[in-house]
Amino acid sequence: TLSRQLMQLETKRKLDIITYLAHDIKTPLASVMILLDNLTDSPNMEEKTRQKFLGEITGQLSRVSWLVAVMLKLSRLDAGVVEFNRQRLDVGSLLEQVTERLEILAEWKRVSLELHVGQGIFLTGDAGWLAEALSNIVKNAIEHSPSGGSVVLTAEDNAVYTAISVRDFGQGMTSEEQKYIFQRFYRSPYAGEDSIGIGLSLAKEIIERQNGYLTVTSNPGEGTLMMIRFLKQG
């Protein structure tokens, strides 16, 4: 029956998330254990090396924390327990919050974040969830940018929609890759080893549930443009 098929599909989705989460947590935790063993077994380790190891441990644990948080949010969306607030949001303030959240990552990757937002641009939505969606999109752009590159965020407004774009100048994507970029657990061939293939999928789900659309435009060697359009209510 249809209800049984839906239950089986939901069970499979939950198992996929649990399996993926377990797999992706295993690697950073193994790295942390190795680094801690080295620190414990080498009490006379040079301070520079010690600080390098501690920095790596912090980075790996941050990755695990982010991964768990994203998976929990995805599970809540799947379960249908999320109620989005409808607030009038200043887009400039929202984007500033997102860039501040990712400032450390951008500095570490040596990528500059540029913000171009006109005055008086507003949209209606849930501030927390939209910040999550935008952060995942900008994070993806940073990770696919070359060292010394930039990610440009812009916001525009017209009578039909409010648009937010995120532009990077990385390696870009083929038309074939663009077909899968928003699918869960899809990893681009050019993605870093820390990529988990879930951020863009989560972003798309959040945006679409708040009267928005997320599209991608990209060509190999020319970078990628992520465009979000929020339709205005009539």
Side-chain angles (χ1 to χ4, degrees):
T1 64
L2 179 59
S3 60
R4 184 173 180 179
Q5 289 176 336
L6 290 173
M7 286 179 64
Q8 289 175 337
L9 179 61
E10 180 61 24
T11 300
K12 183 181 183 303
R13 284 163 71 94
K14 289 178 180 178
L15 285 173
D16 285 344
I17 290 176
I18 292 169
T19 302
Y20 201 86
L21 181 61
H23 176 270
D24 262 46
I25 283 180
K26 188 188 303 181
T27 301
L29 288 183
S31 296
V32 167
M33 292 302 297
I34 292 170
L35 290 166
L36 285 173
D37 284 344
N38 281 326
L39 287 169
T40 303
D41 295 340
S42 306
N44 298 320
M45 181 183 293
E46 289 185 8
E47 185 61 25
K48 184 177 180 181
T49 304
R50 182 181 299 277
Q51 291 302 319
K52 180 181 178 182
F53 281 15
L54 290 172
E56 180 65 22
I57 289 170
T58 301
Q60 293 288 2
L61 291 179
S62 295
R63 182 187 172 214
V64 169
S65 177
W66 182 82
L67 176 62
V68 171
V70 168
M71 288 299 192
L72 287 173
K73 287 166 185 170
L74 194 60
S75 296
R76 289 181 64 202
L77 287 174
D78 283 348
V81 298
V82 176
E83 290 188 12
F84 293 107
N85 294 320
R86 291 188 59 77
Q87 307 158 292
R88 188 168 185 261
L89 305 173
D90 183 303
V91 174
S93 297
L94 182 64
L95 291 179
E96 284 178 7
Q97 176 187 338
V98 169
T99 55
E100 286 173 5
R101 182 186 293 188
L102 294 167
E103 199 170 24
I104 294 175
L105 174 64
E107 288 179 0
W108 183 66
K109 294 277 291 185
R110 293 190 62 245
V111 172
S112 62
L113 298 175
E114 299 180 18
L115 199 54
H116 302 285
V117 182
Q119 293 293 318
I121 299 181
F122 296 89
L123 60 82
T124 300
D126 188 298
W129 281 99
L130 286 178
E132 175 69 29
L134 288 165
S135 294
N136 283 314
I137 294 169
V138 176
K139 181 175 183 290
N140 180 78
I142 293 170
E143 290 174 344
H144 286 83
S145 295
S147 178
S150 61
V151 172
V152 181
L153 288 75
T154 62
E156 299 174 330
D157 199 33
N158 61 39
V160 180
Y161 57 77
T162 300
I164 299 172
S165 66
V166 179
R167 176 88 163 90
D168 71 60
F169 300 89
Q171 69 277 355
M173 290 180 284
T174 64
S175 57
E176 189 67 20
E177 287 176 82
Q178 292 173 54
K179 294 177 184 177
Y180 305 104
I181 192 68
F182 297 120
Q183 289 188 6
R184 290 187 185 186
F185 311 135
Y186 172 75
R187 303 188 201 219
S188 163
Y190 305 104
E193 61 180 17
D194 289 344
S195 172
I196 63 167
I198 198 69
L200 292 180
S201 170
L202 177 61
K204 193 171 193 291
E205 290 192 38
I206 293 170
I207 289 165
E208 289 182 347
R209 294 192 190 200
Q210 298 190 71
N211 202 40
Y213 299 88
L214 174 60
T215 58
V216 59
T217 303
S218 185
N219 288 299
E222 297 179 8
T224 298
L225 174 68
M226 295 279 179
M227 178 67 75
I228 310 155
R229 294 180 177 89
F230 293 95
L231 295 178
K232 295 187 176 179
Q233 300 295 318

